[in-house]
Amino acid sequence: MPDDVPTGAPLVETGVPLLEARGLVKHYRSGGLPLGGRRRATVKAVDGVDLTLRRGSTLGLVGESGCGKSTLTRLLMALDRPTSGTVLVEGRDLLALPSAELRRRRRDIQLVMQDPYTSLDPRMTALEIVREPLDIHRDLMPKKERASWAHELLHMVGLDPGHAHRHPHQFSGGQRQRLGIARALALRPKILVCDEPVSALDVSVQAQVINLFKELQREFGLSYVFIAHDLAVVRHVADEVAVMYLGRIVEHGDRDTVYSRPAHPYTRALLSAVPDPDPRGRGATGRIVLQGDPPSPTRPPTGCAFHTRCWKSEEICVDQQPVPTPESAVGRRQVSCHFPEN
């Protein structure tokens, strides 16, 4: 990650959270044959998640592939209903809203997808792609103003409005992602959920897009849920970091505390794998290599889900699921571990 990417800004708000998840659980039934006498397996994709996003801030969500990040994204946007738990936007439960009100509320939360090519309709022009949300939510803006707003958005994200009639294949990967960002901004949302938005881009283009996210945050007062598996990227954009493992949040706190003094063994292992650009620092803390693969979400371990790969595991880890520690116990964060680092 180039050095010119700005770091996260300080937290803006301490009042009512803009977005809040309380006890989110999402289990799927899969496998087996309904008439074959075998029990269907239960996939515990999200297994009791609490998250808070404050106005004007960025929450980074990290974890290995398959840990439940994408499922959590769908729950936060009310695209999927949880097995249990609630999602609150400005204190209002999204899932308790009437369908018409839920449709209006969805304008406040928009998605920037991972792949900037497959997420865009190849038959539509750039102008049509950015205008489409406005054509769906017709009451938000008069029809005669939509093209002008779409052109303005293209300019804001660094695209030439003169290319508005080009199709996605006529843009580069970075330009296509900028087009996806412009589409997400069309309804003037309060929250952008960014699902690994730079992972498919070259490193130099990643820095440009991340800079764009920071500029748009200042311009529109946006709040981000920034999902990634690249901890170096998250460090540059996030104000707070939540580390996810097998459907659960194992550590959640402000960025500087989590990165400088990781308290959960899994967080320590993830951070030890981040390349150090300074040759003098390489190997100073030692690489932690986890043994084995993550357990299957259809058969999660008893007690602490990480105990099968943890070098600090003891009998209590096998028998009892850890309760998040009070923030004051380990700094400005919560950790779900029986033996957190000081």
Side-chain angles (χ1 to χ4, degrees):
M1 180 58 56
D3 295 334
D4 61 344
V5 180
T7 58
L11 296 182
V12 175
E13 182 189 88
T14 58
V16 176
L18 180 59
L19 175 68
E20 188 174 8
R22 296 180 181 173
L24 275 187
V25 173
K26 183 61 180 180
H27 294 173
Y28 296 97
R29 302 287 287 177
S30 67
L33 300 173
L35 300 179
R38 297 169 55 193
R39 292 186 61 187
R40 288 179 177 266
T42 299
V43 179
K44 298 182 178 181
V46 175
D47 199 23
V49 167
D50 296 306
L51 284 178
T52 298
L53 176 67
R54 295 176 175 86
R55 195 180 304 275
S57 70
T58 300
L59 172 64
L61 183 63
V62 301
E64 295 171 284
S65 297
C67 70
K69 301 189 300 294
S70 295
T71 301
L72 181 57
T73 297
R74 295 183 60 83
L75 297 177
L76 293 177
M77 299 189 66
L79 296 176
D80 205 351
R81 297 189 69 88
T83 305
S84 62
T86 57
V87 177
L88 306 175
V89 176
E90 296 180 313
R92 300 192 64 184
D93 185 356
L94 284 184
L95 301 177
L97 296 176
S99 57
E101 178 63 19
L102 175 60
R103 186 172 183 269
R104 287 191 294 270
R105 274 286 174 176
R106 279 193 173 131
R107 300 171 182 172
D108 293 336
I109 310 176
Q110 293 296 304
L111 177 65
V112 178
M113 301 182 189
Q114 176 179 1
D115 191 332
Y117 189 74
T118 58
S119 63
L120 304 175
D121 190 331
R123 300 167 297 179
M124 299 174 69
T125 65
L127 178 62
E128 292 170 336
I129 288 171
V130 178
R131 270 194 54 168
E132 185 179 27
L134 296 169
D135 293 335
I136 294 172
H137 296 267
R138 301 172 187 173
D139 60 317
L140 193 63
M141 183 178 295
K143 186 175 182 179
K144 62 182 180 181
E145 298 178 9
R146 295 173 194 166
S148 176
W149 176 234
H151 279 96
E152 186 176 346
L153 285 171
L154 291 174
H155 176 71
M156 285 181 179
V157 299
L159 295 176
D160 185 351
H163 297 161
H165 295 288
R166 291 186 177 183
H167 290 79
H169 73 274
Q170 296 174 290
F171 294 99
S172 67
Q175 289 174 325
R176 286 195 289 264
Q177 192 59 292
R178 290 172 185 265
L179 182 56
I181 295 170
R183 176 180 61 184
L185 293 174
L187 300 179
R188 297 174 178 168
K190 299 175 182 177
I191 302 166
L192 286 189
V193 178
C194 308
D195 190 1
E196 306 212 27
V198 297
S199 63
L201 307 178
D202 293 338
V203 173
S204 60
V205 179
Q206 285 184 9
Q208 297 170 15
V209 173
I210 290 172
N211 282 329
L212 174 62
F213 276 121
K214 300 300 293 184
E215 293 168 5
L216 294 172
Q217 187 171 45
R218 290 190 292 267
E219 178 75 18
F220 291 97
L222 292 166
S223 302
Y224 296 138
V225 177
F226 199 97
I227 300 167
H229 62 268
D230 189 333
L231 276 77
V233 171
V234 172
R235 185 168 195 169
H236 284 292
V237 300
D239 302 305
E240 296 187 51
V241 177
V243 182
M244 195 169 185
Y245 183 81
L246 208 64
R248 300 172 182 169
I249 301 297
V250 297
E251 185 164 357
H252 181 195
D254 72 90
R255 176 201 59 200
D256 292 337
T257 302
V258 171
Y259 274 82
S260 63
R261 298 187 303 279
H264 196 282
Y266 179 61
T267 309
R268 285 189 58 201
L270 289 180
L271 289 175
S272 76
V274 177
D276 191 338
D278 184 358
R280 295 169 297 182
R282 293 174 187 168
T285 57
R287 173 73 185 273
I288 299 173
V289 180
L290 297 178
Q291 301 299 317
D293 297 323
S296 169
T298 62
R299 295 183 301 276
T302 60
C304 174
F306 187 60
H307 83 258
T308 58
R309 307 171 75 192
C310 182
W311 62 95
K312 302 177 71 174
S313 176
E314 296 188 13
E315 185 175 351
I316 188 175
C317 305
V318 179
D319 296 335
Q320 297 181 24
Q321 182 176 331
V323 177
T325 59
E327 289 191 15
S328 59
V330 283
R332 290 185 57 197
R333 43 133 170 245
Q334 288 187 323
V335 183
S336 295
C337 181
H338 292 295
F339 305 104
E341 298 290 333
N342 293 326

